Amino acid sequence: MSASATGSATPAAPAARGKGLTSEQLLAAAATEPAVFIEAGPGSGKTTVAAERYGFLHYSALADPRAIVAVSFTRAATWELRQRIVRTWGPGALRSPNRVVTIDTLLLELLHHLLRRGELRWPRGHADLRVLDKWSTAHPHTRTTTKQTLTVSNRTIVQTRVRDSLEARITGPAYWENILTGTCTHDDVRAVVAAALSDRHLAAFLGGYLAATVRGLLIDEVFDANQLDLDLISLARHHGVTVTLIGDPWQALYEFRGARTHLINGFVTAQGLHTYRLTRSFRFRSPHCIALTRDLRDRKPVALPPRDGAALDVVLAHEWKTLWTAGGDVLPMSFNSPNTVERAAATLLADLVTSAAFGQRAVFAEESYRLLGITDPATRDRLRPHLIDVLDILRSPATTAVNDTWDALVTAIGTESTRHFRPRHHAYTEPLRWLRAFLHRNVTHPVPGLTVHQAKGREWEAVGVCLTGTEKAALAGGLDPLNSNHRILYVALTRAKSTLVAL
């Protein structure tokens, strides 16, 4: 089922809200069906409608003491939605038990409920867990395909192992030692909740808890949901909770923890959710951007004009390496996510350069400092002059400058960090070569470079996109929203308000 702005009466919005909304937005925000999917294209006011929808659900039944819970999949998205709700409805809309949380927080709440009510038993009886995003490199690690995880056996949480990709993982003994102290990761929480939902009694127990405490569940960016998340949504709906899903299949980038676009498409159909589509975009200003976005969504062939000296606000690409090798005036805002101390070290130098050029921290700068164990501001202040000296070495014309920079960088960080660095390797020094190439171009007015993942949800007046040969061919053949690389390309091409060019 679907609805548009024509041929339907608009449900009354609560408290005279909804001023300035289009008829499409108002219909979606004030939908009265118990299960709704709002498909929101780029620039269509997704967060605005999500906030309005939250308020409608909250204020339409104030006598019901149960919560309206809004959920998203990252802390940044959750923070943005929370701020928008407060601006729209005031802080009272988030008075307890109403809340905006990450999906991980909601899953942890369910696990804590099982533990505190004695339905599940954590090793050594812990009922309040300390949950980490991931096991840090401070824990003993080894490269292995064996992943330590948890499951449920006879209502007791036990350790198990599964085969996975080869990567650095916490060792088995260290893993279990942490579990025994009540420390785990969000992946562990997910594993236990997934096992609980496969148990008929525990699933019914959790469903009853949701029915008793939650009146409405709003899932933002639903295309980041995986099967466990959908099972939770289905459980809530089965127990009478009003469910609203918001997202765009064309802008699903992350495939985080097994999220797949087709899962959500199938879920919406199977569950019979009433669909509202937000088709009007407030982002695009030029005829070129308007027509191109329409053609992309219609899967028609498109081509971008070359830059030809156009002034740009940002340059986007699928990968950081593509940005660093683009040359010219492009200054990428980081390297890859710092999953090793070696990558984190290089990011500290990039942070100096982006801060000087744009007054903006490098992407992943904070994560890099944390990974290196440099969290105290005073420690960072002591390190900064040494990093500036290291950067001067990188600027040197000497043929050994990159290797000399690496050695000096490791030494400098070693004065403030106890982290162990592996022997110098070209994989660790490659980011320094990229940074050195930029420094030697002596660019006076650099343009920031971002990956598409960093650009999602943002917009600029003028955008350049670094296109590979494969991406140009994809555009020439028309994009498919079920193809993850095509979705990344679609997001890149829908960030510009007026000017969009290819590099």
Side-chain angles (χ1 to χ4, degrees):
M1 295 179 289
S2 65
S4 65
T6 59
S8 299
T10 302
R17 297 289 179 176
K19 292 180 62 177
L21 297 185
T22 66
S23 55
E24 280 184 333
Q25 292 173 327
L26 189 58
L27 278 168
T32 56
E33 295 84 4
V36 169
F37 168 53
I38 302 173
E39 182 178 318
S44 63
K46 177 185 70 66
T47 306
T48 295
V49 172
E52 293 283 352
R53 177 67 176 163
Y54 179 96
F56 176 84
L57 293 172
H58 174 54
Y59 288 106
S60 61
L62 283 175
D64 191 327
R66 294 176 298 166
I68 304 299
V69 180
V71 171
S72 197
F73 292 82
T74 66
R75 293 187 181 98
T78 301
W79 181 88
E80 181 183 3
L81 180 55
R82 185 182 296 115
Q83 295 300 111
R84 188 69 64 89
I85 289 171
V86 170
R87 288 202 303 269
T88 304
W89 299 99
L94 291 178
R95 189 172 294 117
S96 181
N98 303 297
R99 56 199 184 274
V100 182
V101 296
T102 63
I103 189 71
D104 283 340
T105 298
L106 182 58
L107 290 169
L108 178 59
E109 176 186 327
L110 297 180
L111 176 54
H112 275 152
H113 183 65
L114 290 171
L115 295 174
R116 292 164 185 168
R117 295 296 296 271
E119 295 293 329
L120 279 183
R121 185 179 185 278
W122 192 271
R124 293 186 178 171
H126 293 282
D128 291 287
L129 306 177
R130 175 174 176 256
V131 183
L132 310 174
D133 287 340
K134 58 184 178 181
W135 299 112
S136 76
T137 54
H139 297 97
H141 275 61
T142 185
R143 285 185 63 79
T144 178
T145 58
T146 300
K147 179 181 179 181
Q148 309 292 329
T149 187
L150 300 175
T151 190
V152 175
S153 177
N154 296 322
R155 307 287 169 81
T156 298
I157 295 166
V158 297
Q159 182 180 11
T160 188
R161 299 169 181 82
V162 296
R163 300 283 290 182
D164 206 339
S165 58
L166 178 64
E167 59 183 81
R169 304 180 188 277
I170 188 171
T171 61
Y175 176 82
W176 189 241
E177 180 181 335
N178 278 277
I179 296 300
L180 291 176
T181 66
T183 300
C184 64
T185 67
H186 283 293
D187 281 346
D188 295 316
V189 172
R190 284 179 160 269
V192 174
V193 174
L197 291 182
S198 68
D199 180 288
R200 183 176 300 178
H201 168 77
L202 294 177
F205 184 82
L206 289 177
Y209 172 71
L210 289 171
T213 60
V214 178
R215 176 162 55 89
L217 183 62
L218 186 153
I219 310 292
D220 189 29
E221 298 288 4
V222 69
F223 285 90
D224 290 334
N226 66 8
Q227 189 59 58
L228 170 61
D229 305 323
L230 294 179
D231 289 344
L232 174 60
I233 297 167
S234 179
L235 181 70
R237 182 165 186 246
H238 178 73
H239 284 80
V241 177
T242 296
V243 169
T244 301
L245 312 184
I246 305 177
D248 181 10
W250 282 87
Q251 299 184 78
L253 295 189
Y254 297 105
E255 298 192 342
F256 187 47
R257 294 167 171 159
R260 296 292 184 272
T261 301
H262 72 273
L263 292 178
I264 288 78
N265 291 334
F267 182 86
V268 169
T269 301
Q271 295 282 329
L273 272 66
H274 196 100
T275 298
Y276 291 83
R277 292 186 173 88
L278 307 181
T279 61
R280 178 184 173 186
S281 176
F282 299 88
R283 173 175 300 160
F284 310 118
R285 297 175 181 172
S286 69
H288 171 244
C289 288
I290 294 171
L292 182 136
T293 303
R294 182 183 61 246
D295 289 345
L296 287 172
R297 209 143 180 125
D298 289 340
R299 309 188 188 193
K300 294 180 179 179
V302 301
L304 299 189
R307 181 179 182 181
D308 287 340
L312 299 176
D313 298 311
V314 71
V315 172
L316 306 179
H318 186 170
E319 298 178 344
W320 289 107
K321 182 176 181 178
T322 304
L323 292 166
W324 281 107
T325 56
D329 56 356
V330 180
L331 171 55
M333 293 298 293
S334 196
F335 305 113
N336 286 343
S337 177
N339 55 357
T340 66
V341 294
E342 292 80 15
R343 182 58 56 82
T347 303
L348 299 193
L349 292 186
D351 185 43
L352 288 180
V353 178
T354 62
S355 296
F358 308 120
Q360 297 179 31
R361 302 292 305 279
V363 178
F364 309 127
E366 192 60 35
E367 293 92 328
S368 296
Y369 274 110
R370 287 201 301 267
L371 185 59
L372 291 166
I374 305 173
T375 57
D376 178 61
T379 304
R380 296 183 185 185
D381 289 342
R382 288 197 304 270
L383 179 61
R384 182 177 174 81
H386 298 292
L387 293 177
I388 292 173
D389 291 341
V390 172
L391 197 60
D392 286 339
I393 298 174
L394 191 61
R395 289 190 172 96
S396 164
T399 57
T400 60
V402 170
N403 287 344
D404 293 343
T405 298
W406 178 257
D407 294 341
L409 180 61
V410 171
T411 299
I413 292 174
T415 64
E416 303 293 350
S417 171
T418 59
R419 297 292 190 262
H420 172 72
F421 284 81
R422 288 170 287 189
R424 186 200 319 134
H425 188 276
H426 69 85
Y428 311 147
T429 58
E430 184 178 41
L432 301 185
R433 297 182 192 280
W434 297 338
L435 184 58
R436 184 170 184 261
F438 171 80
L439 294 173
H440 281 205
R441 289 198 294 272
N442 295 315
V443 177
T444 54
H445 299 290
V447 178
L450 290 172
T451 65
V452 181
H453 288 80
Q454 296 296 325
K456 185 182 178 184
R458 302 173 66 180
E459 59 186 27
W460 294 267
E461 198 68 37
V463 176
V465 180
C466 294
L467 294 176
T468 65
T470 301
E471 290 168 335
K472 291 177 182 177
L475 290 176
L479 299 186
D480 178 359
L482 294 180
N483 183 308
S484 60
N485 288 325
H486 288 197
R487 294 196 302 272
I488 291 171
L489 190 51
Y490 174 84
V491 171
L493 300 183
T494 54
R495 302 305 97 193
K497 298 179 182 179
S498 300
T499 301
L500 180 66
V501 298
L503 275 72

